Amino acid sequence: MNFLKKFEQKMNRFAIGGIINYVCAMLAMGTVLYLVAPGFLNYLILNPIAIMQGQVWRILTFFVYPPAFTGGNPMGYILFNALAIYCIRSFGTIVEQVWGKFRFNCYIILGVLLNVAASLFMYLVVGFPMVLTPVYLVYSFFFVFALMFPDMQVLLMMVLPLKAKWIAYAEAAVYIYYFVKGDIYTRVQIFVCILHMFIFFGWMVLAGETGYKQKKRQKDFQKKIKPMVSNKTGHKCAVCGRTDKDSPGMEFRYCSKCEGSYEYCMDHLYTHQHVKKPDSPQ
């Protein structure tokens, strides 16, 4: 709808670029605090009783919470959280580059507000002081990535190559299991996460352009360039100059936003500056 596009254009200048870096910094802070000062962490997490008493900063510090728990070994706890934060940042960065900073800002802010609303609702209406965490919100970045690029190959645990859609299916099965077997805290957080994605993707569909219409255009473009890619004798990244001979396992693809036949490796496909004639690739 036009008014959604106009609103986005008007508010885009206020969006925070690279907001995923701030999110991951807070996750890392929570990981460290849990080890060295777990008591202080209790002053930052989302607590509806404390918010009603005036501690509104908890809304801003919502992401100060470890994204992974292993129990027992501190070294294993640090390694798993470091890996989780790395994956969250990687997928979040790609989603932001595809959507643009404004929509990605809105996705994160909406997720925080829905969690705050659910926490306050459970306390004020049901009388249950529910402390919610950002774990399912930050892991939803991967579901969003899988919806946009289901056939893209990713490395599970940085070792096993799998298509994004299969990892998303497995994670969805885990969510269903925890929703059925988990406690009230887990069920509310999963429900909020699913509601969040439905609301946001509904907006994307209404706004058009970078929603499912763009996904269809991307698929059509990939079909058009597939014969051209298969007929080439080699691949070369227009940014770093890397070839398929230098990196046999690396994928190379063309960018639909660049004017001309410019090919990029997966390290630069989403990070390069788009070429506009008569510019040269940068």
Side-chain angles (χ1 to χ4, degrees):
M1 294 184 180
N2 289 332
F3 76 91
L4 290 174
K5 296 179 183 178
K6 291 180 180 179
F7 176 75
E8 179 178 350
Q9 292 171 356
K10 184 176 181 180
M11 301 300 295
N12 187 64
R13 65 179 182 274
F14 299 110
I16 302 173
I19 193 173
I20 188 63
N21 295 322
Y22 299 100
V23 171
C24 290
M26 296 180 71
L27 293 172
M29 182 186 302
T31 300
V32 174
L33 286 175
Y34 182 78
L35 284 177
V36 301
F40 184 75
L41 188 63
N42 292 329
Y43 290 100
L44 302 175
I45 59 177
L46 184 63
N47 187 319
I49 298 178
I51 291 176
M52 294 301 298
Q53 293 175 349
Q55 298 181 17
V56 294
W57 65 79
R58 293 174 179 268
I59 299 175
L60 300 177
T61 59
F62 175 65
F63 288 103
V64 180
Y65 193 84
F69 282 97
T70 56
N73 190 347
M75 184 58 66
Y77 165 81
I78 293 174
L79 291 177
F80 271 96
N81 274 280
L83 178 61
I85 294 173
Y86 171 80
C87 293
I88 290 167
R89 184 181 182 279
S90 298
F91 291 122
T93 300
I94 294 175
V95 173
E96 180 180 13
Q97 290 171 348
V98 175
W99 279 355
K101 62 180 182 180
F102 174 76
R103 293 194 180 190
F104 192 61
N105 276 215
C106 290
Y107 184 81
I108 291 178
I109 294 172
L110 176 62
V112 174
L113 293 179
L114 285 176
N115 277 276
V116 173
S119 180
L120 292 177
F121 175 83
M122 294 297 294
Y123 175 61
L124 296 175
V125 179
V126 183
F128 190 75
M130 179 167 289
V131 178
L132 300 182
T133 70
V135 173
Y136 289 95
L137 172 57
V138 294
Y139 284 139
S140 71
F141 297 157
F142 182 79
F143 282 107
V144 174
F145 173 84
L147 284 172
M148 294 188 296
F149 307 101
D151 294 322
M152 179 171 289
Q153 189 178 82
V154 297
L155 294 179
L156 179 63
M157 300 297 290
M158 302 180 69
V159 177
L160 181 63
L162 287 174
K163 287 186 176 181
K165 62 181 178 182
W166 296 113
I167 303 178
Y169 290 153
E171 192 166 352
V174 172
Y175 279 21
I176 294 173
Y177 174 81
Y178 279 117
F179 186 84
V180 175
K181 297 292 185 178
D183 55 22
I184 185 65
Y185 293 92
T186 302
R187 291 177 179 177
V188 170
Q189 289 181 95
I190 293 176
F191 173 78
V192 171
C193 178
I194 295 174
L195 176 63
H196 174 217
M197 287 190 286
F198 267 108
I199 292 175
F200 197 83
F201 274 96
W203 172 40
M204 295 280 283
V205 172
L206 290 175
E209 295 303 323
T210 57
Y212 290 106
K213 292 181 180 179
Q214 178 178 347
K215 183 179 177 181
K216 183 179 183 301
R217 289 198 298 269
Q218 290 175 342
K219 288 184 177 180
D220 293 340
F221 177 79
Q222 290 174 357
K223 290 180 181 178
K224 291 179 180 179
I225 68 170
K226 188 175 181 180
M228 180 171 57
V229 174
S230 61
N231 291 333
K232 289 189 63 176
T233 58
H235 305 278
K236 183 177 181 180
C237 178
V239 175
C240 64
R242 181 187 301 176
T243 66
D244 54 345
K245 294 182 179 180
D246 299 329
S247 303
M250 177 64 69
E251 292 186 30
F252 294 81
R253 297 187 181 182
Y254 289 88
C255 176
S256 59
K257 295 183 179 180
C258 289
E259 297 180 359
S261 299
Y262 295 109
E263 195 174 16
Y264 302 93
C265 66
M266 296 309 296
D267 292 337
H268 296 104
L269 179 60
Y270 303 104
T271 59
H272 69 273
Q273 182 177 346
H274 297 300
V275 178
K276 303 297 181 183
K277 293 182 179 178
D279 296 344
S280 58
Q282 298 181 13

